[in-house]
């Protein structure tokens, strides 16, 4: 393949929303999920980690893909949040196999980001974008308005813009960075408008004399754990804060202008969130939840996204992070017995009815390798800033167990059951999350100081 990367000419996308469009989208998704459930061939790759990774890369970044996706049964819908949560290291040079792989990744990321930006331009800032014919897409919210869609879009844009900031032998990185800067210039005003709309939607909330601006005072907002039907959640509001910071760092919006919309400085806004959710000395998952403290009121997604909410150079934030982490580590209900696979929560949460019927533990008593990877990464970051090896061995154990699960099950899993098996129900057969694999490699190197694969 030629090392000079070319990007396809911009296309005219059409986006649809509304009741009829939602009915069409739901029909498309129903067919997709049912087809996956009943027609998927049962097979498992009996390969080592190197071969599994090569297979994952070839599948996730295939030239035939129109958009960067997770894998079946999600592969026919696009989830903008994933660029922040699940694949922030797609362009990490140390996870790239060769120059052809680099070109495929950069080209696919550029196409993906452009499509998301076109959606923003059309005022379609939804949790999910579903293809409905050639260059036609439906924007729909599963299962409530998003809190992290803009964060994912900004994270994807930032990743391509900064592709050339790490040492790399691949020319595609500098070409991708140039394309990213052009995208930012073209869509800056639309992104700024969307960020302001998100800031304007925040509402004051008070609990026991401690108040903050929240995005989900009266109704749930969707985040990566979007099947949890709770409101006043830490993760949704942490994502909003992270969105504001990404927008400022990318030059989409001026800090002073954003603070004027919020009516307070961003530093104060964050401190209020920490005081509110950290009032008992650890981070409560949801103020609206009736879960008994302490362990039942915590969820693993408190670790938030890569370069997201947490600033572990701050001693106060380190203390809150450590207190929450220690509660998780000490609670047997939080892990698959005999492993360092941590569940999303000690108990299954309040779910939407569809999930109570089809997949009740989907984002409760199940273990998501990717959330565990972020848990390990925050632990390593804590140790680096505290100057002590408090959590490194635990982070390494988490990563070793994910490697074992990947080899045992023949691919990088979306999630595991509370018994350590592939998560399966009568309605849902899970997914092999090929595109999430590079992030695991990046954190592995951080934890062990060496590459996981022989060829990297």
């Amino acid at each position: 393949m030629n090392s000079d990367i070319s990007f396809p000419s911009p296309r005219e996308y059409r986006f649809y929303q509304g009741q009829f469009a939602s009915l069409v989208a739901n029909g498309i998704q129903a067919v997709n999920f049912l087809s996956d459930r009943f027609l998927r061939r049962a097979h498992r790759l009996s390969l080592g980690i190197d071969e599994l990774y090569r297979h994952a890369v070839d599948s996730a970044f295939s030239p035939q893909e129109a958009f960067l996706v997770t894998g079946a049964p999600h592969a026919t819908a696009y989830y903008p949040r994933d660029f922040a949560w699940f694949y922030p290291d797609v362009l990490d040079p140390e996870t790239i196999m060769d120059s052809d792989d680099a070109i495929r990744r950069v080209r696919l990321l550029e196409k993906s980001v452009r499509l998301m930006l076109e959606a923003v331009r059309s005022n379609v800032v939804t949790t999910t974008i579903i293809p409905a014919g050639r260059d036609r897409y439906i924007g729909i919210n599963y299962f409530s308005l998003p809190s992290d869609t803009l964060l994912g879009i900004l994270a994807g844009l930032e990743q391509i813009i900064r592709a050339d900031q790490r040492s790399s032998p691949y020319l595609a990185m500098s070409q991708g960075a140039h394309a990213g800067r052009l995208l930012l210039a073209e869509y800056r005003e639309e992104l700024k408008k969307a960020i302001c709309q998100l800031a304007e939607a925040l509402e004051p909330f008070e609990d026991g004399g401690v108040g903050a601006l929240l995005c989900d005072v009266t109704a749930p907002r969707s985040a990566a754990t979007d099947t949890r039907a709770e409101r006043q959640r830490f993760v949704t509001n942490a994502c909003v804060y992270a969105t504001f910071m990404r927008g400022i760092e990318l030059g989409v919006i001026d800090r002073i202008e954003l603070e004027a919309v919020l009516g307070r400085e961003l530093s104060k806004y964050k401190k209020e969130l920490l005081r509110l959710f950290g009032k008992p000395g650890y981070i409560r998952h949801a103020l609206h939840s009736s879960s008994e403290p302490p362990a039942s009121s915590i969820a693993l997604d408190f670790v938030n996204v890569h370069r997201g909410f947490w600033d572990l150079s701050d001693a106060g934030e380190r203390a809150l992070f450590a207190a929450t982490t220690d509660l998780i580590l000490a609670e047997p209900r939080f892990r698959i017995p005999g492993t360092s696979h941590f569940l999303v929560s000690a108990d299954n949460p309040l779910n939407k009815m569809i999930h109570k019927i089809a997949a009740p533990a989907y984002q409760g008593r199940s273990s998501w390798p990717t959330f565990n990877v972020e848990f390990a990464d925050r632990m390593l970051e804590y140790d680096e800033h505290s100057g002590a090896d408090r959590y490194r061995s635990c982070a390494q154990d988490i990563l070793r167990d994910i490697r074992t699960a990947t080899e045992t099950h023949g691919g990088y899993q979306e999630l595991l059951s509370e018994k350590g098996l592939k998560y399966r129900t009568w309605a849902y057969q899970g997914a092999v999350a090929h595109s999430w694999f590079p992030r695991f490699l990046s954190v592995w190197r951080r934890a062990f100081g060496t590459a996981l694969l022989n060829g990297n």
Side-chain angles (χ1 to χ4, degrees), residues 92-103:
D92 178 354
E94 294 184 351
T95 73
I96 294 174
M97 305 298 292
D98 50 42
S99 60
D100 286 354
D101 184 24
I103 290 170

Side-chain angles (χ1 to χ4, degrees), residues 124-442:
V124 177
V125 182
T126 55
T127 68
T128 313
I129 300 171
I130 297 175
R134 181 174 174 79
D135 296 334
R136 287 173 168 80
Y137 299 89
I138 297 171
I140 189 169
N141 289 313
Y142 295 125
F143 294 88
S144 52
L145 292 172
S147 66
D148 53 359
T149 287
L150 271 178
L151 176 60
I153 295 170
L154 292 171
L157 180 58
E158 179 186 55
Q159 187 171 176
I160 193 168
I161 287 173
R162 296 183 175 175
D164 60 352
Q165 293 188 6
R166 288 190 276 196
S167 178
S168 167
Y170 307 118
L171 178 61
M173 296 300 171
S174 59
Q175 295 171 331
H178 176 68
R181 288 189 286 270
L182 292 178
L183 287 174
L184 175 59
E186 183 177 354
Y187 294 95
R188 178 182 277 111
E189 288 306 311
E190 288 85 354
L191 287 169
K192 178 180 176 180
K193 177 183 175 183
I195 290 172
C196 287
Q197 289 174 339
L198 180 61
E200 290 166 354
L202 301 181
E203 299 177 75
F205 175 80
E206 186 172 303
D207 179 40
V210 180
L213 291 176
L214 301 184
C215 69
D216 54 355
V217 172
T218 57
R221 293 288 289 250
S222 176
T225 43
D226 59 355
T227 70
R228 301 178 70 104
E230 299 135 326
R231 52 190 172 87
Q232 299 150 26
R233 295 172 67 199
F234 174 75
V235 65
T236 53
N237 289 284
C239 284
V240 171
Y241 171 82
T243 302
F244 295 155
M245 293 306 297
R246 284 279 173 87
I248 291 169
E249 290 168 3
L250 283 172
V252 172
I253 190 168
D254 181 76
R255 177 186 289 268
I256 295 175
E257 186 175 0
L258 179 57
E259 290 177 341
V261 177
L262 294 173
R264 60 200 12 91
E265 294 181 351
L266 273 167
S267 58
K268 182 181 179 183
Y269 167 55
K270 184 179 186 180
K271 287 178 181 176
E272 289 173 343
L273 291 175
L274 287 169
R275 281 198 296 266
L276 181 63
F277 288 97
K279 191 165 62 170
Y282 60 88
I283 295 296
R284 293 177 292 174
H285 166 66
L287 308 181
H288 173 245
S289 173
S290 59
S291 298
E292 292 295 324
S296 293
S297 63
I298 297 170
L300 192 63
D301 60 10
F302 90 97
V303 298
N304 204 251
V305 299
H306 171 59
R307 293 192 60 251
F309 183 84
W310 291 99
D311 175 12
L312 295 178
S313 66
D314 180 274
E317 292 194 34
R318 282 202 307 275
L320 271 176
F321 174 85
T324 314
T325 295
D326 290 345
L327 285 170
I328 291 173
L329 298 182
E331 174 54 66
R333 290 182 300 148
F334 250 110
R335 72 171 78 196
I336 296 171
T339 75
S340 288
H341 291 300
F342 291 90
L343 307 179
V344 177
S345 57
D347 304 297
N348 285 330
L350 174 67
N351 279 335
K352 299 286 188 180
M353 183 57 67
I354 186 174
H355 296 105
K356 288 180 181 179
I357 297 170
Y362 184 68
Q363 288 173 344
R365 288 195 57 77
S366 59
S367 176
W368 289 60
T370 189
F371 290 157
N372 277 263
V373 165
E374 295 308 317
F375 192 27
D377 194 49
R378 295 303 93 73
M379 289 179 176
L380 297 169
E381 188 177 353
Y382 177 97
D383 281 3
E384 290 172 6
H385 286 292
S386 68
D389 265 354
R390 181 171 178 173
Y391 295 119
R392 178 170 296 275
S393 63
C394 183
Q396 292 174 336
D397 288 343
I398 289 171
L399 299 172
R400 288 191 190 99
D401 281 353
I402 293 173
R403 174 183 178 168
T404 299
T406 301
E407 292 182 315
T408 299
H409 298 301
Y412 193 89
Q413 299 301 303
E414 180 192 26
L415 71 164
L416 303 172
S417 75
E418 61 181 311
K419 295 182 179 180
L421 305 175
K422 290 184 178 182
Y423 182 76
R424 291 174 172 171
T425 69
W426 68 270
Y428 184 72
Q429 294 295 289
V432 179
H434 295 310
S435 55
W436 300 2
F437 212 154
R439 175 64 178 153
F440 172 64
L441 263 64
S442 298

Side-chain angles (χ1 to χ4, degrees), residues 29 32-33 36 40 71-77 79 414 428-431:
Q29 284 293 79
N32 175 49
F33 272 75
D36 179 80
R40 187 199 298 187
H74 311 292
T76 57
Y79 304 90
E414 180 192 26
Y428 184 72
Q429 294 295 289

